[in-house]
Each structure stands twice: as C-alpha cells, then as structure tokens.
Amino acid sequence: MKRMLMFLIFIMPLFFVNNVFGDEIFYQTEIGESAASEEKESDIIPERITQLNPPTGIYVAFGVGIGFDIQGSSDFDDLLDPYTFGLFGFDRSLQIKVGFKEFLQAEYRWSWRSGSFMDNEDYLISEETSTIDMHHSSKQILLKVNPFAFPGGNDWINKTYLVYGFGESKGFLDDADDGFKDGKVTTYGVEVIPIESTNFLVLGSFGIEFETVDYKYFLLENFGGNYEYPTSAWCLKFLFSVGVGKNFF
C-alpha cells in the first residue's frame, strides 16, 4: 500500500504537467520549427531571384514583347481638328538580341502599336464618337549599356541598362494607308534584364521607354495625295519581354 501511494504521488504531477503544459510545449515547438523553416526558405528565395547565373560571354537571343503606351501629338491635333489623337495604345514587338555578359546588349526590334483619332464634335452633337483606328510600325536598333554591373553584386540595380535607340517608321496609318508617313524614330529608356544562364539563356525584361517620331509626309488619297508636311509624335512605353538564347563564347 505504501509503495502504491508513492507511485501515485510520483505519477500525478507528471500527468498534470503533461495535460496542462504539454499542448503548449508541443505548439511552441511546432511553431518554432515552422518559423525556422520559413526563415530558411525566405533566405533562399530572394537569393535565388537576385543571384541568377549571368551570361558567360557573348550571347544571341530571340524574344517577343508586349506593352502599354501613352502617346500624344499636338501636331496631329492641330492638323486634324476637330479630331484628337487618342491617348492610349497597345504595343507588340519581335526582337533579336546580341549581348556581352551583363554589360552590353544590342537589339534589333520590329514593333507595332495601335492608336486612334476621335471626333469630339460628333460627341457634343449626338453623344457618339466617330473613331479612326490607326496602326504604327517601326524598325529600330537599340543599344543598351549596364553601368551598374559590379562584380559580386546581387541587387536588381545590377541588372539595369540604359537604352538608346534609333530607326525608322513606315508610318502611322489607317486601314486605307492614309495618315503620317516616313518617320524617323528616337528612343531613350531604362530596362531591367534578369538573365538565367544554364545550357540555354532565359531572358526577361521590364522597361520604360520614351520614343519620339518625326514624320515627313501627310497622306490623304481622297484629298490630293501626298503632302510634305512635317509632324512629330511622342510615346511613353511600359514594356515587358521574354526570350531564349545561347552563349557562344
């Protein structure tokens, strides 16, 4: 009997501690392990994103791009009054890129973007707007240099390029090929270009570009044909592109 009583005296405190504190201890242990796991993952994920394998030398890549445009032209508005030039457009492009490590890149780009002219007088009279859809096309060479690519860096700033481009535009034309023709294109911009280099290159980029186009001719076939009438337009582009390529040296 004495032995049984001592056994109960010894067991009861353990039973009490286990029931009262056991779940809390387990909960704290589980949370601690989970937090440690999340901390390890949080250490790994940013490192994986920022420390991509850079190109080892000269590379060639092919890409496609899309973008959102904000555009305008006081010349267009003055010439075509009461029509006004629509503010927004959509951009598409095909690209060939040649680069050297994370320092330099040259790109040849074919691009197309949409636009429109709207008749404000129609809207004031009938609350309906007459719209003329327009289409812009251009070919450009863009030169990109990265002055931030310091050895051992792992921040996004180390993947930022300054952009300068030049080229020509067939025109900003409607479906009947009337509109503004023979344009000279100039582009300035900033582009972030992460590149993952394994057996092949995978490129992604986000860029902001400011483009100006100076047109030489204004074409209206129904009103006598070509007029040598200089005009200019501007476009602010928010661009995203993806591409694949390969190191050659």
Side-chain angles (χ1 to χ4, degrees):
M1 186 68 181
K2 187 176 180 180
R3 290 182 179 179
M4 179 64 70
L5 183 61
M6 291 180 64
F7 177 77
L8 290 174
I9 292 172
F10 179 76
I11 288 296
M12 288 301 292
L14 294 179
F15 180 80
F16 177 81
V17 169
N18 181 66
N19 278 274
V20 174
F21 300 105
D23 289 341
E24 184 178 349
I25 293 170
F26 174 76
Y27 176 78
Q28 290 177 348
T29 304
E30 184 180 38
I31 293 298
E33 291 176 352
S34 176
S37 176
E38 288 178 5
E39 183 178 354
K40 289 179 182 178
E41 288 180 2
S42 66
D43 290 341
I44 293 170
I45 292 173
E47 182 179 353
R48 178 61 183 150
I49 292 174
T50 57
Q51 293 186 347
L52 299 173
N53 295 319
T56 57
I58 296 174
Y59 63 88
V60 177
F62 300 88
V64 296
I66 58 173
F68 173 74
D69 304 324
I70 300 174
Q71 53 196 350
S73 171
S74 58
D75 290 341
F76 290 2
D77 292 341
D78 291 343
L79 181 62
L80 297 177
D81 183 62
Y83 282 86
T84 57
F85 189 33
L87 185 61
F88 303 112
F90 179 68
D91 201 280
R92 294 89 65 201
S93 64
L94 297 175
Q95 309 144 6
I96 298 176
K97 309 180 186 211
V98 179
F100 175 68
K101 295 188 175 181
E102 288 189 305
F103 302 117
L104 301 170
Q105 189 183 101
E107 176 183 321
Y108 192 84
R109 180 192 298 171
W110 298 266
S111 64
W112 303 266
R113 74 170 179 266
S114 58
S116 62
F117 286 95
M118 295 169 288
D119 188 343
N120 294 322
E121 282 191 355
D122 274 1
Y123 181 77
L124 293 174
I125 296 170
S126 63
E127 295 188 355
E128 293 183 1
T129 303
S130 298
T131 302
I132 301 173
D133 293 327
M134 305 291 289
H135 310 281
H136 177 273
S137 60
S138 66
K139 296 181 288 187
Q140 285 192 81
I141 295 173
L142 296 113
L143 306 176
K144 309 174 187 182
V145 59
N146 182 358
F148 311 107
F150 302 110
N154 64 351
D155 296 327
W156 286 111
I157 192 67
N158 292 62
K159 300 171 178 60
T160 301
Y161 292 70
L162 304 180
V163 180
Y164 170 73
F166 58 92
E168 59 185 25
S169 167
K170 178 182 177 182
F172 214 133
L173 307 170
D174 64 13
D175 293 335
D177 281 343
D178 287 344
F180 304 89
K181 300 193 70 173
D182 194 7
K184 300 298 181 185
V185 183
T186 306
T187 295
Y188 302 92
V190 177
E191 188 173 10
V192 178
I193 311 177
I195 304 176
E196 172 70 358
S197 176
T198 53
N199 293 330
F200 289 90
L201 295 176
V202 178
L203 299 83
S205 72
F206 173 77
I208 300 175
E209 296 179 358
F210 184 79
E211 176 184 286
T212 60
V213 189
D214 297 314
Y215 298 99
K216 186 175 182 180
Y217 296 104
F218 177 58
L219 174 63
L220 275 179
E221 289 290 353
N222 293 333
F223 294 91
N226 269 338
Y227 296 90
E228 188 168 340
Y229 192 93
T231 55
S232 63
W234 58 266
C235 182
L236 180 64
K237 299 182 174 185
F238 301 88
L239 302 173
F240 173 76
S241 71
V242 293
V244 294
K246 187 170 177 59
N247 284 304
F248 285 91
F249 300 99

